[in-house]
Amino acid sequence: MKELMRHLRLLGVALLIAGVALIAASIATGQGQVYLLLFIPVYVGTSALGMLGILVVFLGVFLASLGSAWRGLPAPTVPASDSVSPDSVAPPATAPPARYGGVILLGPIPIVFGSDARIAKWMMILGLILAGFVIASFVILSLSGLP
């Protein structure tokens, strides 16, 4: 099972690279264009080559993330044999719970999540700082007169 997940991740990365190569080929042949919208690259394809590149990139991202997500699932356990009494087996050591958090910016609006209050507080601070940078960038660009 572990080997299958590793192969899925590798296949996903290979498809991601192949998709980017297909998109680059469509741009090189004039069948697609790339624009920069603020700092976000936008690809516009007008051919089957560009559409195939986009589909292959999405499939590659899906397979790579699927292989990585299954890596965290616990392995199936083998039931203990009847010859060992349950009293003689030491209880398994429990790992501390994982702590996580993150910020998603939708425009200048931060969406914060976290596994505990401390991490969520730090993510909110980070989100407000990033939102301030986004708002400052818009104000500076609008005052400079650049399109």
Side-chain angles (χ1 to χ4, degrees):
M1 183 72 158
K2 193 175 194 180
E3 193 68 26
L4 175 67
M5 296 309 112
R6 186 173 146 263
H7 287 331
L8 269 180
R9 281 193 312 269
L10 291 175
L11 178 64
V13 170
L15 285 174
L16 189 63
I17 292 169
V20 170
L22 286 170
I23 291 171
S26 74
I27 292 169
T29 59
Q31 299 173 4
Q33 296 176 342
V34 176
Y35 301 100
L36 196 59
L37 182 64
L38 289 179
F39 55 89
I40 301 170
V42 177
Y43 170 73
V44 178
T46 58
S47 68
L49 184 64
M51 183 65 167
L52 180 64
I54 293 292
L55 290 176
V56 170
V57 164
F58 279 129
L59 183 63
V61 168
F62 176 72
L63 287 179
S65 62
L66 182 69
S68 296
W70 276 355
R71 184 176 64 182
L73 293 177
T77 58
V78 178
S81 66
D82 294 334
S83 63
V84 178
S85 68
D87 297 333
S88 65
V89 177
T94 59
R99 295 173 46 190
Y100 59 89
V103 177
I104 300 171
L105 286 176
L106 292 177
I109 301 168
I111 298 174
V112 176
F113 60 93
S115 62
D116 63 0
R118 182 172 173 243
I119 295 212
K121 180 182 81 170
W122 283 108
M123 292 299 112
M124 179 57 80
I125 291 169
L126 177 65
L128 290 174
I129 291 170
L130 291 173
F133 282 137
V134 169
I135 291 170
S137 298
F138 284 129
V139 168
I140 290 170
L141 280 174
S142 66
L143 291 177
S144 69
L146 293 175

